[in-house]
Amino acid sequence: MTATTALTPEQAHARLDKLTVIDVRTPGEYASGHLPGAHNVPLDHLDAALDALKAAAGRCDLLMVCASGARSAQASQRLTEHGVTAATLTGGTAAWSRLGHTLHHPADSPAVWAMERQVRLAAGALVLTGLLAARRWPRTRWISAGVAGGLVFSALTDTCGMARVLAKLPHNRPRATDLAATLAALSD
């Protein structure tokens, strides 16, 4: 694999037994359904996982996965900067499941909405709150304008500040033992 490789869901499905799959979504999103055998290393913990990922890449090709492919592309790029070759799954778990491929769900994890859905709820609620409050306090319409500006910026830069904030909520945060166990499994 080259440093900028992207695999389609069909290609990844055909090679799944030859890949180490790293899901870079939040633990909550991971629990909502992930590729078979995927290890959860949230994007904001990628730097701490570099040694384990280098070890895993030495044994098997890495496939980075997220919901849509955007975060996994960022992860692949960061790994490339540190000399680790990794591919990304085109279209993410959304494309994977759309094609009818199986997603696994941990038995002991509560279902959590996908980050994109959480962002849509938070953005919509903030816009609606700003508009409703503006009926009584006109300056609160700036809440809606700020969220709209953030969404435009998010689309132009393919980043999402709101997702970064929401990822820090307790239901989206990794437990230290989960990440430690994942890193140990990748290092062995």
Side-chain angles (χ1 to χ4, degrees), residues 59-124:
R59 293 186 306 274
C60 195
D61 289 339
L62 295 182
L63 176 65
M64 309 308 284
V65 178
C66 69
S68 67
R71 286 179 280 177
S72 59
Q74 290 174 6
S76 292
Q77 180 60 39
R78 280 188 20 211
L79 289 174
T80 298
E81 292 167 3
H82 291 280
V84 179
T85 301
T88 186
L89 180 64
T90 304
T93 56
W96 179 270
S97 65
R98 236 186 344 264
L99 292 173
H101 300 311
T102 302
L103 289 177
H104 287 212
H105 305 273
D108 61 343
S109 296
V112 175
W113 286 359
M115 186 56 66
E116 181 184 345
R117 187 175 181 191
Q118 293 180 47
V119 167
R120 289 193 316 254
L121 175 67

Side-chain angles (χ1 to χ4, degrees), residues 28-49:
E29 291 177 288
Y30 174 82
S32 70
H34 57 271
L35 271 66
H39 300 277
N40 186 219
V41 179
L43 185 59
D44 59 345
H45 289 72
L46 198 65
D47 291 336

